[in-house]
Amino acid sequence: LGSGPRDLPARHRTMRDAIAWSYDLLDQNEQALFRQLSIFAGGFSLDAADAVAGAGGEMAPVPSTFDVVASLVTQNLVIQDSVAGQARFRMLETIREFGLERLEVAGEMGLVRHRATTWCLMLAEEAEQELIRGEQAKWLDRLEAEQDNMREALEWSLTCGEAETGLRLAAALWRYWSARGDLREGYSWLERALARGSEASATQRGKALHHLGNLAIDLGDYAAARKHYEQSLIIRRNNGGPSEIAEPLNGLGLLTFYRGDYASAQRFHEESLSLRRASDDAHGLGNSLVNMGDVAAAQGDYKRAETLYEEALAIRRQMGNANGIAYCLFNLGDAAWGQGKYTVARRRLEESLALFREVGDRLGMGYALHSLGRVAHAEGNERQAAVFFGEALPLRQELGDRRGVIECVEGLASVASTHDPALAVSLYAAANALRTALNTPLRPTDNVVQEQELAAIRANLDTEAFDEAWAIGLPLSLEDAVAEASGIAARIGADRESLPAGLSNRESEVLRLVATGLTNAQIAEALYLSPHTINAHLNRIYHKLGVTSRSGATRFALDHGIA
């Protein structure tokens, strides 16, 4: 790219010269906007282009961003795409690098970077509020499209003296990171932002510490979560209102719940609930009601738990909070499972899973899949249970949800109990030791179920074999336990005489991916097929199943353990 025949025009000799030649043909406004748009690493929308364009310093004014962007598209310096039906634009990386050079030479880099970062902050803080209302999937997808730009904005603000902006941006993005499963990345950014933003306002530090605690608790780092929640609480008791104080109290309630201290969890949640009722905090109120319901359900008080869940569900339906509704349905399904109401449990959990998939909440998907596995196991459908646990396990492992991974190991141990009782005992032992190390004991209700499982195994396994298997499992690392559990999921989950509705193996695989929410193009990429071939597969699948839509096919896949 750096050389070529000397008798050709300069623009043909090197790619850079070719880009420079095209740039020199632009008028002043086009050159200015071209430079400004190069600031975006992950493409840009028209409103993002508007945010960085315009007069300022020595920058030329841009009277119509739309017209100039259209001209840049016509001249092949900007590419137009369509993402979720919305126009989005991008530059080839080589062209973008040239634009950044021109931006630096023009002395505009700092100003344009500041504008882009300000736009990212505005979008993130707007999305933070919208993600507890309706259209959550749209807002999560919008943030996902901007992740490269968000990363650049975070990096610049944390290294160029705008630490409070970086702290605000990182704190505003926590809900996206949690829902989409980028827990480790989110934790890293928030931790860095707090370290750099030591002089930030108490309001911002209290908020950021609370959200850092939220990410830590999902990652299973309970010591870190306690530290962050307690620091947030100290700051907010001195500087915050009732809603702000309620948040770290709620976090401490979650923490003590996971550690099996239900009396403390109840006290924290009651104080948080009281503050939220007083401040008319509908979103927070829904959270407190669900968490108090979890405390009741863990101790077997399912009637009280369901009352609290239903109250939370009504609030979240009124808010249009689809993700919150999904969690309420999950909780109600889990409570029905605990009472042996398996048909009700399955229906609620399937509704929950469908909503989680619609929103794109991978953390919630892991919860729902695991609980569907427990329902299938309780109904004696071990193959379907293995499929659900087998899908939940790698998802929760990828998210960094260590407590969730242990739960899946336990679920697959229950599936193995009739196929390989010694291996089941080893996995139960490994999970027991891993829970002790993480300081997250089984809920009393779950402990009763596990003791019944172990008693049934003891009845079919002599004492010496049981003790030997238990001793083998105790020292297993989480990775080794996952490997053993994954083997069970593969063996038992694949143990089928024939596929339902006369589906072929390929059709079953396509149907499974449809049920995970992938588009035809994404399925084609995953299976190394063309979109046309995938469409043909889907037409045959719909015909065999007697359905006419993806939702109908997804329901069939869930009902038959294909997804």
Side-chain angles (χ1 to χ4, degrees):
L1 300 179
S3 64
R6 296 300 177 183
D7 58 343
L8 291 178
R11 67 181 182 275
H12 290 168
R13 288 202 299 266
T14 69
M15 183 177 290
R16 189 179 185 285
D17 287 345
I19 298 169
W21 177 78
S22 296
Y23 176 78
D24 290 339
L25 292 177
L26 302 175
D27 66 28
Q28 186 181 22
N29 286 333
E30 291 169 339
Q31 287 184 351
L33 188 58
F34 170 79
R35 295 192 303 268
Q36 295 154 20
L37 295 177
S38 69
I39 205 73
F40 293 113
F44 56 91
S45 57
L46 281 174
D47 59 340
D50 276 328
V52 300
E58 299 179 2
M59 295 170 60
V62 179
S64 171
T65 305
F66 175 83
D67 289 341
V68 180
V69 169
S71 178
L72 294 173
V73 171
T74 300
Q75 297 177 72
N76 297 317
L77 290 169
V78 169
I79 298 169
Q80 180 175 347
D81 296 317
S82 178
V83 178
Q86 301 295 315
R88 189 167 180 84
F89 305 88
R90 60 186 170 88
M91 292 180 180
L92 295 175
E93 192 57 30
T94 307
I95 293 175
R96 177 173 176 261
E97 288 174 3
F98 177 87
L100 289 171
E101 288 179 15
R102 296 295 90 199
L103 197 64
E104 191 71 62
V105 169
E108 302 164 354
M109 180 67 79
L111 178 58
V112 176
R113 179 63 71 189
H114 174 78
R115 287 179 172 181
T117 298
T118 300
W119 179 81
C120 285
L121 177 61
M122 177 198 70
L123 176 64
E125 290 187 332
E126 182 181 6
E128 183 183 17
Q129 297 304 312
E130 293 297 333
L131 287 175
I132 61 174
R133 301 189 183 111
E135 298 188 310
Q136 291 166 326
K138 182 189 82 171
W139 281 95
L140 286 170
D141 288 345
R142 189 172 179 188
L143 287 178
E144 185 167 344
E146 301 296 347
Q147 278 309 287
D148 286 340
N149 293 325
M150 294 291 177
R151 291 179 183 113
E152 293 226 348
L154 283 164
E155 187 64 42
W156 180 79
S157 59
L158 295 179
T159 56
C160 295
E162 297 203 17
E164 180 146 357
T165 296
L167 189 64
R168 285 175 60 189
L169 180 55
L173 288 169
W174 82 272
R175 201 181 301 279
Y176 166 82
W177 286 321
S178 178
R180 286 291 159 92
D182 297 325
L183 302 174
R184 294 185 185 90
E185 179 180 3
Y187 190 89
S188 177
W189 281 119
L190 262 173
E191 194 172 41
R192 280 186 62 194
L194 279 161
R196 295 292 179 91
S198 57
E199 302 302 317
S201 67
T203 298
Q204 291 304 323
R205 286 189 62 80
K207 176 182 177 181
L209 282 163
H210 170 67
H211 294 331
L212 191 59
N214 289 342
L215 293 171
I217 206 168
D218 283 338
L219 286 165
D221 190 345
Y222 298 140
R226 176 179 286 280
K227 180 181 73 173
H228 302 321
Y229 286 142
E230 288 177 344
Q231 289 175 343
S232 176
L233 183 59
I234 290 169
I235 292 172
R236 288 183 154 188
R237 283 202 189 279
N238 292 325
N239 299 277
S243 292
E244 288 77 23
I245 297 169
E247 286 188 331
L249 286 169
N250 182 77
L252 289 166
L254 288 172
L255 179 67
T256 48
F257 171 78
Y258 288 135
R259 287 184 161 173
D261 183 356
Y262 301 119
S264 294
Q266 183 71 18
R267 287 196 301 273
F268 281 125
H269 286 316
E270 283 177 350
E271 185 177 355
S272 181
L273 179 68
S274 177
L275 289 167
R276 284 166 161 170
R277 286 197 190 279
S279 58
D280 197 27
D281 175 6
H283 174 69
L285 183 58
N287 288 346
S288 288
L289 289 166
V290 164
N291 294 334
M292 289 179 68
D294 288 345
V295 174
Q299 299 173 91
D301 190 350
Y302 292 112
K303 183 176 180 180
R304 172 171 167 73
E306 288 181 327
T307 298
L308 292 164
Y309 294 150
E310 291 287 0
E311 185 179 352
L313 180 60
I315 291 170
R316 289 171 170 179
R317 287 196 191 281
Q318 187 174 9
M319 292 178 66
N321 184 344
N323 207 43
I325 292 168
Y327 274 104
C328 282
L329 292 169
F330 161 76
N331 291 123
L332 286 164
D334 213 38
W337 168 82
Q339 298 171 82
K341 301 175 181 177
Y342 302 132
T343 301
V344 173
R346 186 172 59 257
R347 184 176 69 249
R348 286 171 170 168
L349 290 169
E350 286 174 352
E351 291 178 50
S352 170
L353 180 60
L355 277 175
F356 283 133
R357 283 178 165 151
E358 180 182 321
V359 172
D361 186 333
R362 300 174 72 229
L363 193 67
M365 287 166 57
Y367 280 114
L369 286 164
H370 172 263
S371 286
L372 280 166
R374 297 208 299 180
V375 171
H377 172 64
E379 292 179 319
N381 190 338
E382 302 300 358
R383 188 197 60 76
Q384 190 177 66
V387 170
F388 283 128
F389 289 135
E391 187 174 348
L393 177 54
L395 175 59
R396 300 179 99 171
Q397 189 178 24
E398 182 183 343
L399 297 178
D401 178 8
R402 289 188 288 172
R403 179 178 51 81
V405 170
I406 295 170
E407 289 178 350
C408 289
V409 169
E410 291 165 339
L412 286 161
S414 69
V415 170
S417 60
T418 56
H419 295 76
D420 190 341
L423 179 56
V425 171
S426 293
L427 288 177
Y428 276 129
N432 184 280
L434 291 165
R435 279 189 176 277
T436 299
L438 195 59
N439 195 11
T440 180
L442 280 166
R443 298 180 299 181
T445 49
D446 291 340
N447 191 58
V448 169
V449 173
Q450 189 172 116
E451 287 299 322
Q452 291 171 346
E453 294 272 359
L454 288 168
I457 294 174
R458 283 183 183 275
N460 295 297
L461 201 64
D462 64 68
T463 301
E464 183 178 351
F466 186 98
D467 292 344
E468 182 181 352
W470 190 268
I472 290 171
L474 281 177
L476 288 180
S477 66
L478 183 60
E479 291 73 19
D480 289 340
V482 166
E484 294 285 2
S486 298
I488 294 167
R491 291 196 303 275
I492 299 176
D495 183 19
R496 61 183 77 181
E497 293 181 1
S498 61
L499 292 166
L503 295 173
S504 69
N505 288 329
R506 176 63 80 187
E507 288 167 348
S508 175
E509 180 66 8
V510 170
L511 179 56
R512 184 184 69 80
L513 294 173
V514 166
T516 65
L518 296 186
T519 64
N520 284 14
Q522 290 169 327
I523 295 171
E525 183 178 356
L527 299 181
Y528 302 100
L529 298 172
S530 71
H532 176 76
T533 300
I534 296 301
N535 188 58
H537 278 308
L538 277 176
N539 287 336
R540 288 193 293 272
I541 289 168
Y542 288 174
H543 177 73
K544 289 181 178 180
L545 305 187
V547 301
T548 58
S549 67
R550 296 176 82 89
S551 60
T554 297
R555 173 53 62 92
F556 181 93
L558 291 171
D559 288 345
H560 292 81
I562 293 173

